[in-house]
Amino acid sequence: MDKVANISVVMVGAGNLATHLAKNLLNKGFSVVQVYSRTEASAKTLATQIGAEYTTQITDLHPEAQLYICSLKDDALLQLIPQLTMNNPDALWLHTAGSIPMQVWAGHAQRYGVLYPLQTFSKHRQVKFSEIPFFVEANNPTDLSLIEQVAQKLCDKVYRADSEQRKGLHLAAVFACNFTNHLYALANELLIEHHLPFEALLPLIDETARKVHQLSPHEAQTGPAVRYDRQVMDNHLAMLNDAPDMQRIYQLLSESIHNRNK
Amino acid sequence: MDKVANISVVMVGAGNLATHLAKNLLNKGFSVVQVYSRTEASAKTLATQIGAEYTTQITDLHPEAQLYICSLKDDALLQLIPQLTMNNPDALWLHTAGSIPMQVWAGHAQRYGVLYPLQTFSKHRQVKFSEIPFFVEANNPTDLSLIEQVAQKLCDKVYRADSEQRKGLHLAAVFACNFTNHLYALANELLIEHHLPFEALLPLIDETARKVHQLSPHEAQTGPAVRYDRQVMDNHLAMLNDAPDMQRIYQLLSESIHNRNK
């Protein structure tokens, strides 16, 4: 018998990540007994999809589940922790936030931890859940091992990371995902200006991402800044005269590349 | 009979791109008759691989080929054009550089153009040539159509782009490839500092690239800057106190994201 999968789970939150988590827990044989959301429509939608009960009242949270996974907005989580945990202070309480330390649970629950999936979620975009790396933390070794086993049911890659590491990870993700996507957006502006379709850039974007599976980003660096080709760079800066923020970004990133590669 | 593939080609240059081009031309049935490189070892290596003659002397360039593809460093190309074209001014002369205008050929050849593959090439890294988009330009409609047919033999996507468009494309590629890779490098520094492996970030990097196949980069934008979450951003900036250039990059990119999404 599979002990881990027999754990009864309450999903606190019914947003994008909570929905993905709940559905995948169900698929892996966990029994998700209840969904909480402040918004009735959200609670009901998710609960219906996974055959669970739902509530919009924290006081009605299931009092005897074994695992409570809280996937709320950062502010809401911090505000609700005292009320949430009152229902079942002996259960295992988890949050799913990258930038919130585990210790926010201290004093409110006995057993607690973090289950953080590192991925970018957008509406209208399906993500392969099993490919998402999960980062786990707990306030005691038994529960760390338990969370790890739960995570291993959901995905292929599970890492232990304390709150400091998770903070570093979250910041690294801003650079590698949010800022990278913005560079795609700036590139797209240049293409639009030159009447070229964005799709023409996709093979280059793909190869840039694929390359760092094989080479380190340092080894993979190419372009005028790494060669410090002043003539090409000056031409590029002149082309950006009407877009001062892109000009500053060009200059700053080129200097940063040059300083790390000379 | 396939007229285009019967064209006889001289490859001027024996670097990374010239090598890929020559091998793929051969595979598609073109006859590559000669390789030129200033460096004998390079000329010989490529020539041997494709069963062509080779020379290190511009004066010995084959006088009767139909197509000369010049894949040299920008400086070398500009310097050599007058000598190169003297051998066969009636042939079709092409260069493969993103940031050099087609008109560098004017006055030296009658028929000329550009065959520019948009991709990032690194040593020790194989690229699927057929997936690279090619951008073509010529000084007359007949040769434009000819170059287009040559390019279509080599790859799936061929675009016409004049020299201004190609300049814009090259700049866009610096943002979407060179700068993006540098953001990966900065993210890697943060991971190293927090004792986490770079591979933990790869699924996020991949999804960030995949996402813009389906959504525009503007639609795909996520993260603290797009929400303008001052608290998260201030925490991140404080974490970068010992890395002033990363702090400036964080600030500038966050402002740029915010300005374009408010």
Side-chain angles (χ1 to χ4, degrees), chain A residues 29-238:
Chain A
F30 292 88
S31 72
V32 184
V33 292
Q34 191 187 36
V35 173
Y36 160 87
S37 168
R38 204 175 44 177
T39 317
E40 185 167 357
S42 310
K44 193 173 174 178
T45 303
L46 177 52
T48 309
Q49 285 176 7
I50 60 171
E53 296 178 4
Y54 71 90
T55 180
T56 61
Q57 303 298 318
I58 288 184
T59 46
D60 289 341
L61 270 191
H62 195 299
E64 287 176 351
Q66 289 160 285
L67 179 62
Y68 294 76
I69 301 179
C70 304
S71 187
L72 299 164
K73 287 196 176 136
D74 293 3
D75 294 352
L77 174 69
L78 295 176
Q79 201 192 319
L80 293 180
I81 280 178
Q83 293 163 259
L84 286 168
T85 46
M86 264 195 291
N87 291 60
N88 194 349
D90 298 332
L92 176 56
W93 289 85
L94 303 185
H95 76 65
T96 59
S99 52
I100 294 186
M102 178 180 69
Q103 289 304 329
V104 292
W105 295 110
H108 302 291
Q110 297 299 321
R111 300 164 50 210
Y112 49 84
V114 180
L115 178 71
Y116 173 56
L118 180 68
Q119 195 46 280
T120 167
F121 296 98
S122 286
K123 274 182 194 159
H124 316 300
R125 169 84 196 151
Q126 208 57 38
V127 170
K128 270 198 192 163
F129 216 68
S130 63
E131 291 174 2
I132 301 175
F134 275 71
F135 295 80
V136 297
E137 184 180 12
N139 76 326
N140 67 80
T142 314
D143 286 328
L144 181 57
S145 159
L146 179 67
I147 304 170
E148 211 164 32
Q149 287 172 66
V150 171
Q152 277 158 356
K153 293 258 171 202
L154 298 173
C155 70
D156 301 332
K157 289 272 184 188
V158 180
Y159 301 90
R160 296 182 176 194
D162 65 25
S163 295
E164 268 310 302
Q165 287 180 301
R166 208 170 52 250
K167 263 174 70 180
L169 191 68
H170 190 242
L171 179 53
V174 169
F175 278 86
C177 168
N178 306 150
F179 290 169
T180 287
N181 183 77
H182 186 56
L183 293 181
Y184 300 161
L186 298 179
N188 191 27
E189 287 183 19
L190 290 166
L191 292 177
I192 290 169
E193 191 188 320
H194 289 87
H195 310 289
L196 289 164
F198 182 66
E199 55 146 50
L201 214 50
L202 289 174
L204 182 64
I205 284 174
D206 292 344
E207 169 63 10
T208 304
R210 270 197 306 260
K211 224 163 130 170
V212 291
H213 285 248
Q214 189 189 333
L215 308 174
S216 75
H218 184 83
E219 291 168 321
Q221 190 66 55
T222 55
V226 70
R227 302 190 301 267
Y228 216 65
D229 187 332
R230 217 41 273 187
Q231 201 180 330
V232 171
M233 288 161 61
D234 286 344
N235 281 337
H236 284 167
L237 287 168

Side-chain angles (χ1 to χ4, degrees), chain B residues 119-130:
Chain B
Q119 195 46 279
T120 168
F121 296 98
S122 287
K123 274 180 194 161
H124 316 300
R125 170 82 197 152
Q126 209 57 38
V127 170
K128 269 197 191 164
F129 215 70
S130 62

Side-chain angles (χ1 to χ4, degrees), chain B:
Chain B
M1 201 169 95
D2 189 334
K3 273 191 183 175
V4 176
N6 275 327
I7 291 173
S8 57
V9 182
V10 168
M11 186 58 60
V12 179
N16 211 332
L17 174 57
T19 300
H20 281 291
L21 268 173
K23 286 183 183 176
N24 280 280
L25 285 166
L26 188 73
N27 278 342
K28 297 299 176 184
F30 291 87
S31 71
V32 183
V33 292
Q34 189 187 37
V35 174
Y36 160 87
S37 169
R38 203 176 44 177
T39 317
E40 185 167 357
S42 310
K44 194 173 173 180
T45 303
L46 176 53
T48 309
Q49 285 175 7
I50 60 171
E53 297 177 4
Y54 72 89
T55 179
T56 60
Q57 303 299 318
I58 289 184
T59 46
D60 289 343
L61 271 191
H62 195 298
E64 285 175 353
Q66 288 159 287
L67 180 61
Y68 294 76
I69 302 179
C70 304
S71 188
L72 299 165
K73 288 197 176 135
D74 292 4
D75 294 352
L77 174 69
L78 296 177
Q79 201 192 319
L80 293 181
I81 280 179
Q83 292 163 261
L84 287 167
T85 46
M86 263 194 293
N87 291 58
N88 193 349
D90 298 332
L92 176 55
W93 288 85
L94 304 184
H95 75 66
T96 60
S99 52
I100 295 186
M102 178 179 68
Q103 289 305 326
V104 294
W105 295 110
H108 301 290
Q110 297 299 321
R111 300 164 51 212
Y112 49 84
V114 180
L115 177 71
Y116 172 55
L118 181 67
Q119 195 46 279
T120 168
F121 296 98
S122 287
K123 274 180 194 161
H124 316 300
R125 170 82 197 152
Q126 209 57 38
V127 170
K128 269 197 191 164
F129 215 70
S130 62
E131 291 175 2
I132 301 176
F134 275 72
F135 296 81
V136 298
E137 183 180 13
N139 75 327
N140 66 81
T142 313
D143 286 327
L144 179 58
S145 159
L146 180 68
I147 304 170
E148 211 164 32
Q149 287 173 66
V150 171
Q152 277 159 355
K153 292 259 171 200
L154 297 174
C155 69
D156 301 333
K157 289 272 183 188
V158 180
Y159 302 89
R160 297 182 177 194
D162 64 26
S163 296
E164 269 309 302
Q165 287 180 301
R166 209 170 51 250
K167 263 174 70 180
L169 190 68
H170 189 243
L171 179 55
V174 169
F175 279 86
C177 168
N178 306 150
F179 290 169
T180 286
N181 183 77
H182 186 57
L183 293 180
Y184 300 161
L186 298 179
N188 191 28
E189 288 183 20
L190 291 166
L191 293 177
I192 290 168
E193 192 187 318
H194 290 85
H195 310 289
L196 288 164
F198 183 66
E199 55 146 49
L201 214 50
L202 288 174
L204 182 65
I205 284 174
D206 291 345
E207 170 62 11
T208 304
R210 271 197 305 259
K211 224 163 131 170
V212 292
H213 285 247
Q214 189 189 333
L215 308 174
S216 75
H218 184 82
E219 291 168 320
Q221 191 66 54
T222 56
V226 70
R227 303 190 299 268
Y228 217 65
D229 187 332
R230 222 30 280 183
Q231 201 181 330
V232 171
M233 287 161 63
D234 286 344
N235 281 337
H236 282 167
L237 287 168
M239 287 170 71
L240 295 172
N241 273 338
D242 294 334
D245 70 331
M246 285 175 73
Q247 208 174 38
R248 279 201 304 277
I249 289 167
Y250 188 99
Q251 197 132 32
L252 197 53
L253 285 171
S254 294
E255 278 165 21
S256 179
I257 291 171
H258 179 57
N259 288 335
R260 281 173 169 77
N261 289 278
K262 65 186 171 191

